[in-house]
Amino acid sequence: MTTGEADLMETSSLTLNALVIDDSRAIRRILGSMLVDLGWRTHEAENGRHGLDVLAEAERIDVALVDWNMPEMNGLEFIKAVRADPRWGSLPILMVTSETEFQNMADAMEAGANEYAMKPFDRDVIRDKLSILGF
């Protein structure tokens, strides 16, 4: 076995963890299924506040996929809270939302989102966005 093959085997055996935050159970299930198909392990939260709890309890989260419009704590508030906390300040965040206004996208990126995907999306869009984030 070459060094490159060993590196590939080591990388492919590493399970990445995604946190899906959306108030819609259906969207959480759809995104979760797409991520599992792409080799990820998923965690779910129904709003930003619950997402912060999951981050605090999880051993490791590699990326968060976050909706904008949610009760209790919306996606923008979640991003700001994550970026303000040194434990998670560098967590890659993908905003996945139906908010299509350019200003909303700019606000999310300014708050600290790393990428932005608009609903409706498909598996290829999510895979491509994760690839842009380095996964």
Side-chain angles (χ1 to χ4, degrees):
M1 179 181 316
T2 67
T3 303
E5 289 172 329
D7 290 343
L8 182 59
M9 285 180 61
E10 184 177 318
T11 302
S12 64
S13 67
L14 176 67
T15 301
L16 295 169
N17 292 277
L19 172 57
V20 177
I21 307 172
D22 198 301
D23 59 324
S24 166
R25 179 179 297 205
I27 295 296
R28 290 195 311 267
R29 300 293 174 184
I30 290 167
L31 272 170
S33 177
M34 289 177 184
L35 289 162
V36 167
D37 286 348
L38 293 169
W40 290 73
R41 180 170 178 238
T42 62
H43 305 264
E44 295 182 5
E46 67 271 3
N47 61 55
R49 189 160 318 287
H50 183 217
L52 292 175
D53 292 341
V54 173
L55 278 176
E57 295 168 9
E59 183 176 321
R60 189 182 92 234
I61 298 294
D62 299 296
V63 68
L65 291 81
V66 185
D67 185 30
W68 187 298
N69 296 305
M70 298 178 288
E72 287 192 49
M73 177 184 275
N74 68 35
L76 196 62
E77 293 166 334
F78 171 83
I79 292 169
K80 290 176 181 178
V82 166
R83 293 298 179 239
D85 191 315
R87 295 174 292 176
W88 311 309
S90 63
L91 176 71
I93 299 175
L94 170 57
M95 179 70 83
V96 181
T97 182
S98 57
E99 294 292 331
T100 59
E101 294 294 322
F102 178 79
Q103 188 58 52
N104 290 343
M105 186 181 342
D107 290 345
M109 301 301 266
E110 184 176 316
N114 301 93
E115 264 302 319
Y116 197 95
M118 290 180 242
K119 296 175 185 174
F121 52 84
D122 61 18
R123 183 175 168 264
D124 291 339
V125 168
I126 298 302
R127 184 196 65 229
D128 292 346
K129 294 295 184 176
L130 290 171
S131 178
I132 289 169
L133 294 175
F135 299 105

